[in-house]
Amino acid sequence: SQLPDLLVPVLSLQLSNTAILHQIRRDQVTDTCRANSVSSRKRRVLTPNDLKHLVVDEDHEMIYCYVPKVACTNWKRVMMVLTGRGKYSDPMEIPANEAHVSSNLKTLNQYSIPEINHRLKNYMKFLFVREPFERLVSAYRNKFTQKYNTSFHKRYGTKIVRRQRKNATQEALRKGDDVKFEEFVAYLIDPHTQREEPFNEHWQTVYSLCHPCHIHYDLIGKYETLEEDSNYILQLAGVGNYLKFPTYAKSTRTTDEMTTEFFQNISSEHQTQLYEVYKLDFLMFNYSVPSYLKLE
C-alpha cells in the first residue's frame, strides 16, 4: 500500500520540471521580441486576418496556433475530438484531408473583436515549432517532390521554374513539377517574392503565422519532443485521462541528416540570405545555427 504515495511526488516533480521548461521557452520568445522590437512591432494591431491559424476550442478554453509541417494534421484531429462534443473519440479515425477542411474547426478570426480579446486574454494558448530548415525541407519534399501535389506545382512550381531556371523546357514551364531545392531557395530569398505576396503557410515563418510577439502563448511545444509536450498540454486541459496524442513512427519523416544533404548544394551566399529570412524563428524558439551551414 506504500507504493502509490511514493509515485505522487515523482509525478509532481516531473510536472514542475516541465512547467519550468515551458517558462524558459516563453522567456526566450519574450527576450527575442524585445531585442528585435524595432522590426517586429511595425504592425501594432493584429487584424482578424492575422488570426486565421488560431483554432479555438470553446469547451476547454484553448487556442492552438497551427503551423504546417509541425504535426498540425494530428493536432487538428485532436482539436476535432475536443470540439466535436462526442462526434469523434479517436483522432486517428479522422481522415487527414478531413482535418484540413476549414469548416471542421473554428478559428479566432470568425469572432467579433470583443470576443477575440476575451479569448486571447482568458484561454490557454499554445503552438508547436520545429527546427526552421528541417521544416522547410519537409515542406519542399511534400509539396514539390510528390506527384499528387499538382495544385502546388501549378501555383508555385511553374512560377519558380519561370523565374529561376534558365532555358527551361516548355513542359517544365507548363507543369512545374520538377522544382529543384536550389531553385526553391532562390525563390524564397528573391526580394520580388516577398513583395509579390505573403509566403505560402507551408514555408511562412512561425513568427508571421502565429504572431508570438503580440500573442502571449502559455505553452510552446516542440516537434523534437512532440509526444511529451502534447500530452502535457492535454493534461493541463483536463482531458489527459481519456485523450492521448497519437503516436506514429513515420519512416518518411524529414530528419536532420536529410536536411544537411539538401543544403549541400546551396551556395554560402544563399544559405546566409535564407538564414536571414528565418532568423527570428531560430532565435525565438532557441534553435542554434545548423552546423552544416556555411554562412558568409
Side-chain angles (χ1 to χ4, degrees), residues 224-237:
E224 295 75 18
T225 48
L226 178 61
E227 261 169 74
E228 303 95 290
D229 291 347
S230 298
N231 288 321
Y232 177 62
I233 290 169
L234 293 173
Q235 220 171 336
L236 290 179

Side-chain angles (χ1 to χ4, degrees), residues 187-210:
Y187 162 79
L188 294 175
I189 59 179
D190 182 347
H192 187 84
T193 305
Q194 302 264 12
R195 280 197 302 271
E196 192 174 53
E197 58 181 346
F199 275 5
N200 176 279
E201 59 176 20
H202 291 84
W203 47 86
Q204 179 61 280
T205 59
V206 175
Y207 162 75
S208 305
L209 288 176
C210 295

Side-chain angles (χ1 to χ4, degrees), residues 144-176:
F144 294 108
T145 69
Q146 305 287 347
K147 286 289 168 235
Y148 62 82
N149 265 319
T150 47
S151 63
F152 263 82
H153 303 156
K154 283 262 187 289
R155 171 99 175 71
Y156 295 99
T158 53
K159 189 184 290 181
I160 294 172
V161 170
R162 188 174 68 240
R163 206 182 290 169
Q164 305 301 338
R165 189 180 303 175
K166 292 184 176 69
N167 313 324
T169 64
Q170 282 306 307
E171 188 183 24
L173 288 165
R174 194 179 74 249
K175 284 188 169 168

Side-chain angles (χ1 to χ4, degrees), residues 87 89 96 98 161 200 223 278 282:
K87 197 169 149 191
S89 59
E98 190 74 1
V161 170
N200 176 279
Y223 191 72
Y278 292 94
F282 274 101

Side-chain angles (χ1 to χ4, degrees), residues 25 29 64-71 75 126-132 134-135 205-207 210 212 217 219-226 229 281-282 284-287:
R25 290 179 186 173
V29 170
Y64 159 56
C65 183
Y66 71 89
V67 178
K69 307 314 298 171
V70 192
W75 257 110
F126 68 97
L127 78 163
F128 274 78
V129 299
R130 183 177 186 178
E131 203 279 337
E134 200 179 286
R135 177 175 163 242
T205 59
V206 175
Y207 162 75
C210 295
Y217 288 94
L219 298 147
I220 296 157
K222 293 203 157 187
Y223 191 72
E224 295 75 18
T225 48
L226 178 61
D229 291 347
D281 279 5
F282 274 101
M284 208 169 265
F285 306 117
N286 206 15
Y287 288 107

Side-chain angles (χ1 to χ4, degrees), residues 8-286:
V8 177
V10 175
L11 185 66
S12 57
L13 189 69
Q14 276 172 336
L15 286 182
S16 63
N17 279 343
T18 310
I20 291 164
L21 173 74
H22 284 277
Q23 181 62 54
I24 292 168
R25 290 179 186 173
R26 280 197 298 275
D27 291 345
Q28 177 79 18
V29 170
T30 308
D31 295 346
T32 308
C33 291
R34 202 170 288 139
N36 295 277
S37 63
V38 187
S39 60
S40 64
R41 286 279 165 81
K42 261 194 286 234
R43 294 169 44 213
R44 278 210 166 64
V45 183
L46 291 178
T47 65
N49 194 41
D50 291 319
L51 306 173
K52 51 182 189 287
H53 273 248
L54 280 80
V55 175
V56 181
D57 171 4
E58 297 277 339
D59 298 350
H60 306 92
E61 305 205 334
M62 297 201 307
I63 293 174
Y64 159 56
C65 183
Y66 71 89
V67 178
K69 307 314 298 171
V70 192
C72 88
T73 307
N74 278 355
W75 257 110
K76 283 180 176 180
R77 285 169 160 146
V78 168
M79 293 301 276
M80 281 172 72
V81 171
L82 291 174
T83 57
R85 307 205 168 172
K87 197 169 149 191
Y88 313 98
S89 59
D90 175 5
M92 293 320 272
E93 278 176 3
I94 303 169
N97 56 345
E98 190 74 1
H100 297 294
V101 174
S102 54
S103 58
N104 281 333
L105 289 165
K106 201 157 184 198
T107 47
L108 198 56
N109 58 337
Q110 297 168 353
Y111 293 84
S112 70
I113 304 288
E115 287 173 329
I116 289 172
N117 290 332
H118 169 78
R119 281 157 185 73
L120 283 176
K121 204 166 121 191
N122 298 295
Y123 284 18
M124 179 172 89
K125 300 171 293 299
F126 68 97
L127 78 163
F128 274 78
V129 299
R130 183 177 186 178
E131 203 279 337
F133 284 172
E134 200 179 286
R135 177 175 163 242
L136 191 66
V137 168
S138 175
Y140 166 77
R141 290 179 64 218
N142 178 254
K143 297 302 168 200
F144 294 108
T145 69
Q146 305 287 347
K147 286 289 168 235
Y148 62 82
N149 265 319
T150 47
S151 63
F152 263 82
H153 303 156
K154 283 262 187 289
R155 171 99 175 71
Y156 295 99
T158 53
K159 189 184 290 181
I160 294 172
V161 170
R162 188 174 68 240
R163 206 182 290 169
Q164 305 301 338
R165 189 180 303 175
K166 292 184 176 69
N167 313 324
T169 64
Q170 282 306 307
E171 188 183 24
L173 288 165
R174 194 179 74 249
K175 284 188 169 168
D177 64 353
D178 64 345
V179 171
K180 295 186 186 69
F181 186 64
E182 298 88 288
E183 294 170 329
F184 179 52
V185 169
Y187 162 79
L188 294 175
I189 59 179
D190 182 347
H192 187 84
T193 305
Q194 302 264 12
R195 280 197 302 271
E196 192 174 53
E197 58 181 346
F199 275 5
N200 176 279
E201 59 176 20
H202 291 84
W203 47 86
Q204 179 61 280
T205 59
V206 175
Y207 162 75
S208 305
L209 288 176
C210 295
H211 315 286
C213 290
H214 296 83
I215 294 171
H216 181 78
Y217 288 94
D218 303 290
L219 298 147
I220 296 157
K222 293 203 157 187
Y223 191 72
E224 295 75 18
T225 48
L226 178 61
E227 261 169 74
E228 303 95 290
D229 291 347
S230 298
N231 288 321
Y232 177 62
I233 290 169
L234 293 173
Q235 220 171 336
L236 290 179
V239 297
N241 52 348
Y242 68 84
L243 185 58
K244 289 273 173 281
F245 193 77
T247 58
Y248 65 109
K250 237 174 137 193
S251 55
T252 58
R253 232 203 81 180
T254 302
T255 59
D256 183 45
E257 296 77 45
M258 234 180 252
T259 307
T260 305
E261 232 161 274
F262 272 91
F263 272 86
Q264 295 287 287
N265 303 328
I266 308 294
S267 70
S268 58
E269 184 192 356
H270 279 188
Q271 288 186 2
T272 306
Q273 289 172 288
L274 191 68
Y275 180 76
E276 279 304 314
V277 173
Y278 292 94
K279 187 176 175 179
L280 277 177
D281 279 5
F282 274 101
L283 296 174
M284 208 169 265
F285 306 117
N286 206 15

